[in-house]
Amino acid sequence: MPVLKPKLRLPLLVSALAAGLVLGLAGCATPPPPKDALKQAEQTPPAWMAPLPHGGQATALQDWWSQFDDPLLGQLIEQTQAANPTLQQAVARIKQARAQATQAGSAQWPNVNLNAAAQRQRLPLVSGVPTQTLSTASLDAAWEIDLFARVRQQRDAAEARAQASELEWHAARVSLAAEVAQSYVSLRACERLTQISAADVEAMTRLSQWSSDKLKVGFESTANDALLQAAAADSQNRWLNQRAECDLLVKALVSLSGRPELELRAQLAPAFAKLPSSPGLQVAQLPAATLAQRPDLAAQQRQVLAAWSERGAAEAARYPQLQLGGSISLSALQVSGGPKIDGNGWSFGPSLSLPIFDAGSRLANADAAQARFDESLAGYRAAVLLAVREVEEALVRLDAAQQRERYAQSSADGYQRSAVATAGSWRAGLASAAELEQARRLTLNAQSALVQVQAARLAAWFSLYKASGGGWQPEASQSIPGGTAL
């Protein structure tokens, strides 16, 4: 049996030790994320305390906008989502996160570089020195053996953050849709209030003119005429203020949608002062577990997982790191046109880095990563609690608005009949100007309250849409503009 030469025993021994170290430590890694901690953070009430609309039975939230009798609302939402800068920023963040995840994952594979150089020289300080031409080429490779899963966990953290950025894009779409819907309903309610104010202006202008005519012939006192003239001026003031509020809401929609104002106004004009409605407006079953449909909570959960992986990577950095490196080199030397002298070489071997003393730097970094994980987990728990509150508040507001609307309608109708009767009595000389003004104010307030209640009911639906995730489903596939399908 041949005997190994002494000079070969040391390299083989080193390689054997390195292989044994890899086999012994390759399985060492940070344990999986604490599922119990996540489940505890995700605790939601077994049932909602506020009453559910229509018993909680109906169609899915994905078809939300098609339930309304106003197709313009859905068109505005689609146009806004196609051009809104906030969503464009979210898409850019997704691309950045994906690139960072690819970069982190590449560290798991060998790094190979090809180098080449050629140099020709003649030293001028010494006479008779021949010209030399040196050409070299080398292929270098390095690979970190991920003993304690440091590289893998850095990759996992980057991938979790990339997933979080994609979920945040979904959340931004839901939030933007709700914001556009709220602004649109606010505009239509404002236009309705403007109509009410305009009708009040017309009526008070007519009554103030009659009062002036009655004053001239002695059938009206100066005090009563002054009261009605003041009421006419007040109605003009209300109308002008309401019209300005509507202009501001139009400009808000222009900012959200990015559409030219003249084009948007032309698009809005046909349905002036018409609040969207749906006789059968319903919401899907709303169990407490529906919070799992919220993309912002899913994104925050991915941030918790990323923080956990980063914590593991920081802990792994406290332990030895092993790298395998190798190189193959080719070179050729030619002197003054003479024959080329070739020189080839190679090298291969492990490199072990063992931290001994760093004044507590690595331990402090691991402690900071643990604290960031604790902070992220607490933030996730706070987000879940806030989500529960948002759903409960939306349900309470929706239930209250639905019950109030019929009373507000009855109030507005009754005050309107009273105002018409009082105006007739005043013209016949059977009622005073003060009674006429009081009837007018009560009617105006009741009509405004009805519009506000109707708008509040729609706003509560939109809030519930947003609070329950907007119909987003974890398994749903939607394409991000400029990217791949999620």
Side-chain angles (χ1 to χ4, degrees), residues 85-413:
T86 301
L87 287 182
Q88 293 171 352
Q89 286 180 324
V91 171
R93 284 193 291 269
I94 290 173
K95 294 178 180 178
Q96 295 175 45
R98 285 174 175 171
Q100 291 170 357
T102 301
Q103 182 181 16
S106 66
Q108 293 184 294
W109 302 96
N111 185 14
V112 180
N113 296 305
L114 177 63
N115 305 303
Q119 184 179 21
R120 183 178 177 87
Q121 69 174 6
R122 181 172 64 84
L123 299 177
L125 301 180
V126 182
S127 60
V129 175
T131 301
Q132 300 178 0
T133 303
L134 177 64
S135 302
T136 62
S138 65
L139 185 66
D140 302 322
W143 184 23
E144 179 177 348
I145 306 300
D146 200 13
L147 298 179
F148 296 93
R150 181 182 66 87
V151 175
R152 179 179 63 79
Q153 291 184 96
Q154 288 176 335
R155 178 210 63 189
D156 290 347
E159 288 181 351
R161 296 204 185 279
Q163 293 171 2
S165 67
E166 294 171 357
L167 291 165
E168 287 166 355
W169 176 79
H170 282 291
R173 284 172 57 87
V174 171
S175 179
L176 185 61
E179 185 177 0
V180 172
Q182 296 276 19
S183 298
Y184 182 76
V185 167
S186 296
L187 174 62
R188 292 312 191 194
C190 182
E191 291 171 346
R192 181 71 187 105
L193 292 174
T194 302
Q195 275 189 338
I196 294 172
S197 296
D200 183 55
V201 167
E202 182 180 356
M204 290 311 301
T205 300
R206 186 168 56 252
L207 289 173
S208 64
Q209 184 60 48
W210 287 344
S211 176
S212 297
D213 293 341
K214 291 173 68 176
L215 177 64
K216 292 177 182 178
V217 296
F219 290 146
E220 187 64 274
S221 68
T222 303
N224 287 340
D225 179 66
L227 178 61
L228 292 179
Q229 299 301 330
D234 178 66
S235 65
Q236 286 280 357
N237 175 57
R238 287 172 179 265
W239 174 70
L240 291 172
N241 179 68
Q242 197 65 53
R243 192 175 63 174
E245 290 296 325
C246 295
D247 286 339
L248 293 177
L249 288 169
V250 170
K251 295 183 184 302
L253 281 175
V254 168
S255 177
L256 283 171
S257 65
R259 296 177 63 95
E261 184 170 338
L262 291 177
E263 181 180 334
L264 181 60
R265 285 185 180 274
Q267 193 175 11
L268 293 168
F272 181 83
K274 181 179 179 297
L275 284 167
S277 64
S278 175
L281 187 60
Q282 298 175 341
V283 70
Q285 287 188 345
L286 200 66
T290 196
L291 292 182
Q293 294 180 184
R294 285 185 56 141
D296 58 334
L297 292 184
Q300 189 123 5
Q301 186 188 67
R302 300 306 191 280
Q303 296 289 1
V304 172
L305 298 178
W308 176 260
S309 295
E310 289 171 347
R311 167 208 170 278
E315 182 67 24
R318 299 176 57 200
Y319 302 107
Q321 298 179 19
L322 178 65
Q323 284 194 342
L324 295 180
S327 176
I328 299 175
S329 62
L330 305 174
S331 62
L333 176 64
Q334 187 176 30
V335 180
S336 297
K340 291 183 179 180
I341 303 174
D342 296 328
N344 303 328
W346 61 272
S347 65
F348 173 78
S351 173
L352 183 65
S353 173
L354 180 63
I356 297 177
F357 178 75
D358 62 0
S361 174
R362 290 181 178 85
L363 178 59
N365 188 38
D367 290 342
Q370 176 66 49
R372 286 192 292 271
F373 167 74
D374 294 338
E375 178 188 13
S376 182
L377 184 61
Y380 178 56
R381 175 58 178 157
V384 171
L385 292 174
L386 179 60
V388 172
R389 173 185 171 183
E390 289 175 348
V391 172
E392 290 281 7
E393 288 181 346
L395 290 173
V396 169
R397 290 193 177 100
L398 180 58
D399 182 63
Q402 288 178 332
Q403 294 188 48
R404 290 170 55 204
E405 186 172 357
R406 68 176 183 272
Y407 295 110
Q409 182 69 62
S410 177
S411 173
D413 293 342

Side-chain angles (χ1 to χ4, degrees), residues 425-449:
S425 298
W426 175 81
R427 286 193 296 269
L430 301 177
S432 67
E435 292 174 324
L436 181 62
E437 167 58 9
Q438 182 182 20
R440 169 249 175 190
R441 286 186 176 275
L442 290 173
T443 302
L444 185 61
N445 291 338
Q447 291 175 340
S448 299

